Amino acid sequence: MNIEVPQIYEEDIIEFAQRKGDVIFKYFNNGEINEIVFICVYAFDFIEFDYINEVGWKFGLELQSNSMYIEAITCNMSKEKLQRAFGGEYKKLQHYKLVIDDVGMYNIICKDITLNAVSP
């Protein structure tokens, strides 16, 4: 599932920060500041395009189904431990890919996401 965000260029990135378990990604677009807030983040990484060996990626923000990242986090947990993990809400885990122009992509494992326009 692709989530509509404009193509984000490296020079438009204002902030990428982790705060109180959330990851906030702010960028400038057409005269306004927008932010993507990834809520209850359990893991994230960044992969430069030079090191990407995946195919089929697109610029923008995309929710991944059948995520290898989520599988890697949960595969060694017993059923009982999995029921308690992630605040008892492991079924809410989502994997998002955020691909930035010619820089690379972020992989973010979280429970939810919000998209906001912020006053400059």
Side-chain angles (χ1 to χ4, degrees):
M1 179 177 118
N2 212 14
I3 299 167
E4 287 298 318
V5 295
Q7 186 168 345
I8 300 169
Y9 298 94
E10 181 180 19
E11 59 270 14
D12 295 329
I13 298 171
I14 298 169
E15 178 181 23
F16 183 83
Q18 188 171 10
R19 293 190 190 122
K20 297 181 182 179
D22 298 341
V23 167
I24 300 166
F25 183 87
K26 288 185 183 180
Y27 61 96
F28 191 71
N29 179 48
N30 292 329
E32 70 178 24
I33 297 171
N34 293 288
E35 72 177 7
I36 304 169
V37 180
F38 300 94
I39 301 167
C40 294
V41 173
Y42 291 98
F44 68 89
D45 67 11
F46 179 79
I47 304 170
E48 291 182 44
F49 276 140
D50 293 342
Y51 303 103
I52 294 175
N53 58 5
E54 298 181 32
V55 295
W57 53 267
K58 299 177 215 149
F59 291 114
L61 180 65
E62 188 172 18
L63 176 62
Q64 303 296 296
S65 59
N66 301 323
S67 169
M68 294 183 314
Y69 279 78
I70 293 174
E71 177 68 24
I73 292 171
T74 61
C75 71
N76 291 325
M77 292 181 170
S78 68
K79 190 170 184 174
E80 180 182 319
K81 187 173 181 180
L82 193 55
Q83 294 293 332
R84 293 189 320 250
F86 312 106
E89 300 177 319
Y90 76 97
K91 290 185 178 184
K92 288 187 177 182
L93 288 181
Q94 301 171 357
H95 173 195
Y96 290 95
K97 279 189 181 179
L98 177 61
V99 180
I100 309 295
D101 65 14
D102 60 354
V103 178
M105 77 169 78
Y106 291 94
N107 287 293
I108 301 166
I109 307 299
C110 62
K111 284 188 183 174
D112 204 359
I113 186 174
T114 62
L115 305 167
N116 306 309
V118 179
S119 301

